[in-house]
Amino acid sequence: MKYVIESALTFYMRALLFVLFGQVANSSQGQVNFNISSKLALYQVQADGICSSNDGYVFVASLLIDTLHQRWGYGIGSLDSNGTLKCFREYVELNGVKQLRTSQIVRVANNFYIKAGKSWNPDAVFLVAFNDQCDTLFTRQYETIFGDSVQSHVVQGLRKCSDGGYIITTGFSGYAYPELRRELGVYKLDKDFNFEWSNVFGRGHRHQQGIDVAETDSGGYLIFGLDYYDNDPDYDSLRSSLYFVEIDSVGNLVREKVNGQELRSVNFEVVQTADGGYILCSSQLYEESGSFVSDNSIFKIDSNLTYVWETKVGTIDRVSAATYFSIVESTDGEGVVAAGRAVDIIEGNAYSYGVITKVNWEGDSIWTRYYVLENDYPTDASANYIWRIRATNDGGYITIGEALFMPGTPISPYIQQIWFLKTDEYGCVVPGCHLPSSLDDDPVLKTRYYIKTYPNPVEDVLNVFVKMPDHAEWFGPLLFRLSLRR
């Protein structure tokens, strides 16, 4: 027997389900946030670096733009274990641009952290060392492989090596067609952050990107990246394949491989598995009815760089903005946890969540949580991003991202906040959210809505009433006519 909803009031039922979904999935209570927009007349802020310290967390606002004075830069901050801001220092300048976008924070020693990015004027790979008092210990600039011919580049991978040094991966773009160049860069530093060697790889296409890097058992490095515009004369920017480059300990090419003509996003990290494989996160895009939609995707490849499994997490309606940006091994050692952004389209409006998902080593989905900063559920006038997730000293997780609110001011159309989210090992901000009975015992949820349906069992008409304690019946009565077909 098949039930088909024929009523024109389908919108109201979807809205009802969306509200209830937001109440169940939202875990925004108790989280902390730091309103960066009060510091500068910002048009844009991106915060994608966070790391546990001895007594709290250090973070980096990787991109700050002061549109009023045309200044660009970054910020370094520190929180205590309760999420209270300890310090924040801005490093912005009028001439020249320095950003620390996309790379992770690496903890070098006690109260000693580094993060890499890029500088313009002069064009260079840029590295900053800092402490949890928001002091800059030193900075380094390393001349880019392509010199003055680079129009734009991005620094993405930063890892500490077993020899005590560090390796950085980059991507380049912007060469005038048809003078295409090899565009995936790798830089090796020694333990004192002195430049050792660099090299560049690629397949002659317009844009390749080295997104993360891992050491191999032979002492070399495996670079994980994306290959854009492959065999596409029209430069279809969405058509990007996974691109792998293995090099030896001094940067010589060992092998390279491209995994097909798939559609992937450009931000992901890598977790190495005990069997020599790798687990990554991104988004998997699909072409449907002339447009692109996506699922948040976690997938594993083996040592031969072939797929083992893939787990996709969708929301109500997929859109191309949904993706995972960051991944870590779970604190219980039983799998991985990925974080990013999920988006629903409901009646033409976009609703943006932060999302965290755990899967085990075999790719089985354990749990997924959705989060928003302020409201019970997101609105089409706000967006919620999680850019980075890291394990915490107490066995939970800390994330950093931003919340975007529209409209803002004439100078800054968007009001932005750096958004921190601290969860336990189950992804819960409210303790017990992983237990089936936890919502039944929540006094807020028990008093917020009264839901009545009749008749029960349903025959051909279902009546739904929703009432809040201090309000009249909301959307009610909502009448949905169901026809029964054999």
Side-chain angles (χ1 to χ4, degrees), residues 322-364:
T323 186
Y324 290 119
F325 298 113
S326 180
I327 190 170
V328 292
E329 183 175 342
S330 62
T331 53
D332 61 6
E334 299 297 325
V336 296
V337 176
R341 182 191 187 203
V343 184
D344 288 333
I345 300 294
I346 299 179
E347 300 299 325
N349 293 322
Y351 299 85
S352 172
Y353 305 87
V355 59
I356 301 177
T357 296
K358 179 181 179 181
V359 303
N360 64 19
W361 297 118
E362 289 72 43
D364 300 319

mmCIF file of all heavy atoms in Angstrom, residues 322-364:
data_model
loop_
_atom_site.group_PDB
_atom_site.id
_atom_site.type_symbol
_atom_site.label_atom_id
_atom_site.label_comp_id
_atom_site.label_asym_id
_atom_site.label_seq_id
_atom_site.Cartn_x
_atom_site.Cartn_y
_atom_site.Cartn_z
ATOM 1 N N ALA A 322 27.428 22.089 -0.317
ATOM 2 C CA ALA A 322 27.620 21.180 0.812
ATOM 3 C C ALA A 322 28.946 20.442 0.667
ATOM 4 O O ALA A 322 29.231 19.847 -0.374
ATOM 5 C CB ALA A 322 26.468 20.187 0.891
ATOM 6 N N THR A 323 29.757 20.449 1.710
ATOM 7 C CA THR A 323 31.040 19.751 1.646
ATOM 8 C C THR A 323 31.632 19.611 3.042
ATOM 9 O O THR A 323 31.298 20.364 3.956
ATOM 10 C CB THR A 323 32.046 20.497 0.751
ATOM 11 O OG1 THR A 323 33.227 19.713 0.603
ATOM 12 C CG2 THR A 323 32.414 21.845 1.320
ATOM 13 N N TYR A 324 32.519 18.626 3.209
ATOM 14 C CA TYR A 324 33.373 18.540 4.394
ATOM 15 C C TYR A 324 34.681 19.262 4.098
ATOM 16 O O TYR A 324 35.217 19.173 2.986
ATOM 17 C CB TYR A 324 33.691 17.090 4.743
ATOM 18 C CG TYR A 324 32.507 16.301 5.268
ATOM 19 C CD1 TYR A 324 32.050 15.182 4.593
ATOM 20 C CD2 TYR A 324 31.875 16.657 6.453
ATOM 21 C CE1 TYR A 324 30.978 14.443 5.065
ATOM 22 C CE2 TYR A 324 30.810 15.925 6.939
ATOM 23 C CZ TYR A 324 30.362 14.821 6.250
ATOM 24 O OH TYR A 324 29.305 14.095 6.726
ATOM 25 N N PHE A 325 35.214 19.942 5.111
ATOM 26 C CA PHE A 325 36.459 20.669 4.959
ATOM 27 C C PHE A 325 37.603 20.087 5.780
ATOM 28 O O PHE A 325 38.765 20.355 5.485
ATOM 29 C CB PHE A 325 36.266 22.136 5.364
ATOM 30 C CG PHE A 325 35.280 22.882 4.535
ATOM 31 C CD1 PHE A 325 34.095 23.326 5.093
ATOM 32 C CD2 PHE A 325 35.523 23.149 3.205
ATOM 33 C CE1 PHE A 325 33.168 24.021 4.336
ATOM 34 C CE2 PHE A 325 34.605 23.841 2.432
ATOM 35 C CZ PHE A 325 33.420 24.276 2.996
ATOM 36 N N SER A 326 37.321 19.329 6.830
ATOM 37 C CA SER A 326 38.364 18.928 7.767
ATOM 38 C C SER A 326 38.031 17.558 8.329
ATOM 39 O O SER A 326 36.858 17.192 8.466
ATOM 40 C CB SER A 326 38.462 19.968 8.891
ATOM 41 O OG SER A 326 39.457 19.643 9.827
ATOM 42 N N ILE A 327 39.074 16.790 8.692
ATOM 43 C CA ILE A 327 38.876 15.435 9.200
ATOM 44 C C ILE A 327 39.974 15.114 10.211
ATOM 45 O O ILE A 327 41.121 15.557 10.058
ATOM 46 C CB ILE A 327 38.869 14.405 8.044
ATOM 47 C CG1 ILE A 327 38.415 13.026 8.520
ATOM 48 C CG2 ILE A 327 40.208 14.344 7.348
ATOM 49 C CD1 ILE A 327 38.170 12.054 7.379
ATOM 50 N N VAL A 328 39.619 14.357 11.259
ATOM 51 C CA VAL A 328 40.582 13.902 12.260
ATOM 52 C C VAL A 328 40.236 12.468 12.639
ATOM 53 O O VAL A 328 39.106 12.006 12.428
ATOM 54 C CB VAL A 328 40.570 14.779 13.531
ATOM 55 C CG1 VAL A 328 41.088 16.163 13.257
ATOM 56 C CG2 VAL A 328 39.172 14.824 14.146
ATOM 57 N N GLU A 329 41.205 11.765 13.196
ATOM 58 C CA GLU A 329 40.909 10.462 13.782
ATOM 59 C C GLU A 329 40.045 10.673 15.014
ATOM 60 O O GLU A 329 40.253 11.619 15.786
ATOM 61 C CB GLU A 329 42.193 9.736 14.148
ATOM 62 C CG GLU A 329 41.956 8.340 14.710
ATOM 63 C CD GLU A 329 43.242 7.565 14.956
ATOM 64 O OE1 GLU A 329 44.291 7.950 14.402
ATOM 65 O OE2 GLU A 329 43.196 6.567 15.727
ATOM 66 N N SER A 330 39.047 9.810 15.199
ATOM 67 C CA SER A 330 38.147 9.957 16.340
ATOM 68 C C SER A 330 38.905 9.746 17.638
ATOM 69 O O SER A 330 39.906 9.016 17.693
ATOM 70 C CB SER A 330 36.978 8.976 16.237
ATOM 71 O OG SER A 330 37.439 7.643 16.269
ATOM 72 N N THR A 331 38.425 10.364 18.700
ATOM 73 C CA THR A 331 39.140 10.310 19.974
ATOM 74 C C THR A 331 39.103 8.928 20.607
ATOM 75 O O THR A 331 39.946 8.619 21.461
ATOM 76 C CB THR A 331 38.546 11.343 20.955
ATOM 77 O OG1 THR A 331 37.132 11.141 21.054
ATOM 78 C CG2 THR A 331 38.803 12.753 20.468
ATOM 79 N N ASP A 332 38.151 8.070 20.209
ATOM 80 C CA ASP A 332 38.132 6.705 20.736
ATOM 81 C C ASP A 332 38.935 5.741 19.872
ATOM 82 O O ASP A 332 39.000 4.543 20.172
ATOM 83 C CB ASP A 332 36.689 6.203 20.874
ATOM 84 C CG ASP A 332 35.939 6.165 19.541
ATOM 85 O OD1 ASP A 332 36.563 6.424 18.484
ATOM 86 O OD2 ASP A 332 34.731 5.891 19.557
ATOM 87 N N GLY A 333 39.565 6.230 18.803
ATOM 88 C CA GLY A 333 40.386 5.404 17.931
ATOM 89 C C GLY A 333 39.620 4.441 17.053
ATOM 90 O O GLY A 333 40.224 3.573 16.420
ATOM 91 N N GLU A 334 38.295 4.613 16.972
ATOM 92 C CA GLU A 334 37.462 3.660 16.234
ATOM 93 C C GLU A 334 37.096 4.118 14.835
ATOM 94 O O GLU A 334 36.322 3.455 14.153
ATOM 95 C CB GLU A 334 36.175 3.393 17.026
ATOM 96 C CG GLU A 334 36.408 2.775 18.397
ATOM 97 C CD GLU A 334 37.055 1.402 18.303
ATOM 98 O OE1 GLU A 334 36.735 0.673 17.348
ATOM 99 O OE2 GLU A 334 37.891 1.071 19.161
ATOM 100 N N GLY A 335 37.604 5.263 14.391
ATOM 101 C CA GLY A 335 37.265 5.750 13.056
ATOM 102 C C GLY A 335 37.715 7.182 12.882
ATOM 103 O O GLY A 335 38.729 7.609 13.455
ATOM 104 N N VAL A 336 36.971 7.952 12.089
ATOM 105 C CA VAL A 336 37.313 9.341 11.811
ATOM 106 C C VAL A 336 36.073 10.204 12.031
ATOM 107 O O VAL A 336 34.938 9.734 11.999
ATOM 108 C CB VAL A 336 37.834 9.534 10.381
ATOM 109 C CG1 VAL A 336 39.136 8.776 10.170
ATOM 110 C CG2 VAL A 336 36.785 9.114 9.345
ATOM 111 N N VAL A 337 36.328 11.509 12.227
ATOM 112 C CA VAL A 337 35.266 12.497 12.369
ATOM 113 C C VAL A 337 35.567 13.631 11.400
ATOM 114 O O VAL A 337 36.678 14.178 11.395
ATOM 115 C CB VAL A 337 35.183 13.027 13.817
ATOM 116 C CG1 VAL A 337 34.139 14.134 13.930
ATOM 117 C CG2 VAL A 337 34.846 11.891 14.773
ATOM 118 N N ALA A 338 34.585 13.970 10.563
ATOM 119 C CA ALA A 338 34.737 15.017 9.559
ATOM 120 C C ALA A 338 33.776 16.152 9.860
ATOM 121 O O ALA A 338 32.703 15.952 10.436
ATOM 122 C CB ALA A 338 34.483 14.470 8.159
ATOM 123 N N ALA A 339 34.151 17.370 9.460
ATOM 124 C CA ALA A 339 33.321 18.555 9.716
ATOM 125 C C ALA A 339 33.293 19.432 8.486
ATOM 126 O O ALA A 339 34.241 19.462 7.699
ATOM 127 C CB ALA A 339 33.857 19.335 10.911
ATOM 128 N N GLY A 340 32.196 20.157 8.324
ATOM 129 C CA GLY A 340 32.069 21.055 7.194
ATOM 130 C C GLY A 340 30.750 21.775 7.189
ATOM 131 O O GLY A 340 30.256 22.213 8.234
ATOM 132 N N ARG A 341 30.151 21.855 6.010
ATOM 133 C CA ARG A 341 28.930 22.622 5.810
ATOM 134 C C ARG A 341 27.905 21.770 5.082
ATOM 135 O O ARG A 341 28.244 21.050 4.139
ATOM 136 C CB ARG A 341 29.231 23.880 4.991
ATOM 137 C CG ARG A 341 28.038 24.790 4.742
ATOM 138 C CD ARG A 341 28.381 25.853 3.720
ATOM 139 N NE ARG A 341 27.312 26.839 3.585
ATOM 140 C CZ ARG A 341 27.131 27.583 2.505
ATOM 141 N NH1 ARG A 341 27.926 27.450 1.465
ATOM 142 N NH2 ARG A 341 26.154 28.473 2.446
ATOM 143 N N ALA A 342 26.656 21.858 5.517
ATOM 144 C CA ALA A 342 25.548 21.221 4.826
ATOM 145 C C ALA A 342 24.502 22.277 4.517
ATOM 146 O O ALA A 342 24.308 23.215 5.298
ATOM 147 C CB ALA A 342 24.941 20.108 5.674
ATOM 148 N N VAL A 343 23.837 22.143 3.381
ATOM 149 C CA VAL A 343 22.866 23.146 2.944
ATOM 150 C C VAL A 343 21.598 22.453 2.474
ATOM 151 O O VAL A 343 21.654 21.473 1.736
ATOM 152 C CB VAL A 343 23.431 24.015 1.803
ATOM 153 C CG1 VAL A 343 22.439 25.114 1.431
ATOM 154 C CG2 VAL A 343 24.769 24.623 2.199
ATOM 155 N N ASP A 344 20.453 22.964 2.921
ATOM 156 C CA ASP A 344 19.160 22.510 2.423
ATOM 157 C C ASP A 344 18.515 23.619 1.613
ATOM 158 O O ASP A 344 18.640 24.798 1.953
ATOM 159 C CB ASP A 344 18.223 22.160 3.583
ATOM 160 C CG ASP A 344 18.621 20.883 4.294
ATOM 161 O OD1 ASP A 344 19.241 20.039 3.643
ATOM 162 O OD2 ASP A 344 18.316 20.743 5.485
ATOM 163 N N ILE A 345 17.821 23.244 0.580
ATOM 164 C CA ILE A 345 16.994 24.176 -0.176
ATOM 165 C C ILE A 345 15.545 23.806 0.080
ATOM 166 O O ILE A 345 15.103 22.705 -0.266
ATOM 167 C CB ILE A 345 17.296 24.116 -1.681
ATOM 168 C CG1 ILE A 345 18.764 24.470 -1.949
ATOM 169 C CG2 ILE A 345 16.369 25.060 -2.446
ATOM 170 C CD1 ILE A 345 19.111 25.894 -1.624
ATOM 171 N N ILE A 346 14.808 24.698 0.722
ATOM 172 C CA ILE A 346 13.409 24.455 1.047
ATOM 173 C C ILE A 346 12.590 25.613 0.494
ATOM 174 O O ILE A 346 12.803 26.771 0.869
ATOM 175 C CB ILE A 346 13.198 24.311 2.556
ATOM 176 C CG1 ILE A 346 14.004 23.122 3.092
ATOM 177 C CG2 ILE A 346 11.720 24.150 2.885
ATOM 178 C CD1 ILE A 346 13.890 22.918 4.568
ATOM 179 N N GLU A 347 11.704 25.295 -0.416
ATOM 180 C CA GLU A 347 10.858 26.298 -1.060
ATOM 181 C C GLU A 347 11.691 27.442 -1.626
ATOM 182 O O GLU A 347 11.333 28.614 -1.532
ATOM 183 C CB GLU A 347 9.827 26.830 -0.073
ATOM 184 C CG GLU A 347 8.897 25.757 0.478
ATOM 185 C CD GLU A 347 8.082 25.077 -0.618
ATOM 186 O OE1 GLU A 347 7.715 25.762 -1.580
ATOM 187 O OE2 GLU A 347 7.826 23.863 -0.499
ATOM 188 N N GLY A 348 12.822 27.100 -2.229
ATOM 189 C CA GLY A 348 13.657 28.085 -2.897
ATOM 190 C C GLY A 348 14.624 28.833 -2.015
ATOM 191 O O GLY A 348 15.431 29.622 -2.514
ATOM 192 N N ASN A 349 14.599 28.624 -0.697
ATOM 193 C CA ASN A 349 15.506 29.305 0.218
ATOM 194 C C ASN A 349 16.600 28.354 0.694
ATOM 195 O O ASN A 349 16.346 27.170 0.913
ATOM 196 C CB ASN A 349 14.743 29.845 1.439
ATOM 197 C CG ASN A 349 13.785 30.952 1.069
ATOM 198 O OD1 ASN A 349 14.086 31.783 0.208
ATOM 199 N ND2 ASN A 349 12.623 30.974 1.708
ATOM 200 N N ALA A 350 17.804 28.878 0.868
ATOM 201 C CA ALA A 350 18.946 28.071 1.301
ATOM 202 C C ALA A 350 19.120 28.197 2.807
ATOM 203 O O ALA A 350 19.084 29.300 3.364
ATOM 204 C CB ALA A 350 20.213 28.526 0.588
ATOM 205 N N TYR A 351 19.331 27.061 3.463
ATOM 206 C CA TYR A 351 19.538 27.000 4.903
ATOM 207 C C TYR A 351 20.859 26.285 5.153
ATOM 208 O O TYR A 351 21.028 25.136 4.756
ATOM 209 C CB TYR A 351 18.388 26.263 5.586
ATOM 210 C CG TYR A 351 17.045 26.929 5.382
ATOM 211 C CD1 TYR A 351 16.283 26.669 4.252
ATOM 212 C CD2 TYR A 351 16.556 27.829 6.316
ATOM 213 C CE1 TYR A 351 15.062 27.290 4.058
ATOM 214 C CE2 TYR A 351 15.328 28.448 6.137
ATOM 215 C CZ TYR A 351 14.590 28.177 5.000
ATOM 216 O OH TYR A 351 13.389 28.793 4.819
ATOM 217 N N SER A 352 21.801 26.967 5.813
ATOM 218 C CA SER A 352 23.169 26.487 5.935
ATOM 219 C C SER A 352 23.471 26.074 7.374
ATOM 220 O O SER A 352 23.285 26.853 8.308
ATOM 221 C CB SER A 352 24.146 27.584 5.506
ATOM 222 O OG SER A 352 25.467 27.227 5.787
ATOM 223 N N TYR A 353 23.964 24.842 7.537
ATOM 224 C CA TYR A 353 24.340 24.294 8.836
ATOM 225 C C TYR A 353 25.850 24.051 8.890
ATOM 226 O O TYR A 353 26.494 23.787 7.883
ATOM 227 C CB TYR A 353 23.712 22.920 9.068
ATOM 228 C CG TYR A 353 22.231 22.802 8.946
ATOM 229 C CD1 TYR A 353 21.631 22.566 7.717
ATOM 230 C CD2 TYR A 353 21.421 22.869 10.070
ATOM 231 C CE1 TYR A 353 20.255 22.421 7.605
ATOM 232 C CE2 TYR A 353 20.055 22.728 9.974
ATOM 233 C CZ TYR A 353 19.476 22.500 8.741
ATOM 234 O OH TYR A 353 18.133 22.360 8.643
ATOM 235 N N GLY A 354 26.394 24.053 10.095
ATOM 236 C CA GLY A 354 27.625 23.332 10.329
ATOM 237 C C GLY A 354 27.286 21.868 10.536
ATOM 238 O O GLY A 354 26.248 21.535 11.103
ATOM 239 N N VAL A 355 28.140 20.968 10.068
ATOM 240 C CA VAL A 355 27.848 19.543 10.164
ATOM 241 C C VAL A 355 29.096 18.801 10.621
ATOM 242 O O VAL A 355 30.216 19.149 10.227
ATOM 243 C CB VAL A 355 27.344 18.974 8.815
ATOM 244 C CG1 VAL A 355 28.371 19.171 7.704
ATOM 245 C CG2 VAL A 355 26.967 17.496 8.934
ATOM 246 N N ILE A 356 28.910 17.801 11.497
ATOM 247 C CA ILE A 356 29.983 16.913 11.939
ATOM 248 C C ILE A 356 29.486 15.477 11.814
ATOM 249 O O ILE A 356 28.377 15.165 12.242
ATOM 250 C CB ILE A 356 30.407 17.199 13.394
ATOM 251 C CG1 ILE A 356 30.894 18.640 13.551
ATOM 252 C CG2 ILE A 356 31.510 16.243 13.837
ATOM 253 C CD1 ILE A 356 31.269 18.996 14.986
ATOM 254 N N THR A 357 30.316 14.609 11.238
ATOM 255 C CA THR A 357 29.944 13.213 11.004
ATOM 256 C C THR A 357 31.066 12.295 11.470
ATOM 257 O O THR A 357 32.244 12.578 11.240
ATOM 258 C CB THR A 357 29.681 12.957 9.510
ATOM 259 O OG1 THR A 357 28.554 13.731 9.104
ATOM 260 C CG2 THR A 357 29.402 11.490 9.238
ATOM 261 N N LYS A 358 30.684 11.189 12.096
ATOM 262 C CA LYS A 358 31.645 10.156 12.464
ATOM 263 C C LYS A 358 31.356 8.889 11.675
ATOM 264 O O LYS A 358 30.197 8.480 11.543
ATOM 265 C CB LYS A 358 31.564 9.833 13.959
ATOM 266 C CG LYS A 358 32.534 8.727 14.401
ATOM 267 C CD LYS A 358 32.409 8.430 15.888
ATOM 268 C CE LYS A 358 33.357 7.302 16.297
ATOM 269 N NZ LYS A 358 33.244 6.983 17.737
ATOM 270 N N VAL A 359 32.401 8.275 11.139
ATOM 271 C CA VAL A 359 32.294 6.953 10.523
ATOM 272 C C VAL A 359 33.395 6.076 11.101
ATOM 273 O O VAL A 359 34.425 6.570 11.566
ATOM 274 C CB VAL A 359 32.413 7.003 8.980
ATOM 275 C CG1 VAL A 359 31.360 7.911 8.373
ATOM 276 C CG2 VAL A 359 33.808 7.444 8.540
ATOM 277 N N ASN A 360 33.178 4.748 11.090
ATOM 278 C CA ASN A 360 34.221 3.841 11.563
ATOM 279 C C ASN A 360 35.197 3.537 10.439
ATOM 280 O O ASN A 360 35.082 4.052 9.316
ATOM 281 C CB ASN A 360 33.614 2.575 12.174
ATOM 282 C CG ASN A 360 32.843 1.743 11.158
ATOM 283 O OD1 ASN A 360 33.005 1.878 9.937
ATOM 284 N ND2 ASN A 360 31.988 0.852 11.650
ATOM 285 N N TRP A 361 36.188 2.703 10.721
ATOM 286 C CA TRP A 361 37.238 2.436 9.735
ATOM 287 C C TRP A 361 36.705 1.726 8.494
ATOM 288 O O TRP A 361 37.343 1.738 7.455
ATOM 289 C CB TRP A 361 38.351 1.596 10.368
ATOM 290 C CG TRP A 361 39.068 2.267 11.487
ATOM 291 C CD1 TRP A 361 39.143 1.864 12.793
ATOM 292 C CD2 TRP A 361 39.835 3.482 11.418
ATOM 293 N NE1 TRP A 361 39.892 2.745 13.538
ATOM 294 C CE2 TRP A 361 40.345 3.743 12.723
ATOM 295 C CE3 TRP A 361 40.149 4.376 10.387
ATOM 296 C CZ2 TRP A 361 41.129 4.854 13.012
ATOM 297 C CZ3 TRP A 361 40.939 5.484 10.684
ATOM 298 C CH2 TRP A 361 41.421 5.710 11.975
ATOM 299 N N GLU A 362 35.548 1.096 8.597
ATOM 300 C CA GLU A 362 34.951 0.413 7.441
ATOM 301 C C GLU A 362 33.997 1.321 6.666
ATOM 302 O O GLU A 362 33.387 0.890 5.692
ATOM 303 C CB GLU A 362 34.187 -0.839 7.900
ATOM 304 C CG GLU A 362 35.075 -1.977 8.367
ATOM 305 C CD GLU A 362 35.731 -1.690 9.715
ATOM 306 O OE1 GLU A 362 35.013 -1.162 10.609
ATOM 307 O OE2 GLU A 362 36.934 -1.972 9.867
ATOM 308 N N GLY A 363 33.830 2.560 7.116
ATOM 309 C CA GLY A 363 32.970 3.493 6.412
ATOM 310 C C GLY A 363 31.534 3.503 6.865
ATOM 311 O O GLY A 363 30.699 4.179 6.255
ATOM 312 N N ASP A 364 31.203 2.768 7.928
ATOM 313 C CA ASP A 364 29.838 2.774 8.436
ATOM 314 C C ASP A 364 29.569 4.080 9.183
ATOM 315 O O ASP A 364 30.354 4.495 10.038
ATOM 316 C CB ASP A 364 29.610 1.599 9.394
ATOM 317 C CG ASP A 364 29.847 0.262 8.715
ATOM 318 O OD1 ASP A 364 29.430 0.122 7.549
ATOM 319 O OD2 ASP A 364 30.455 -0.633 9.342
#
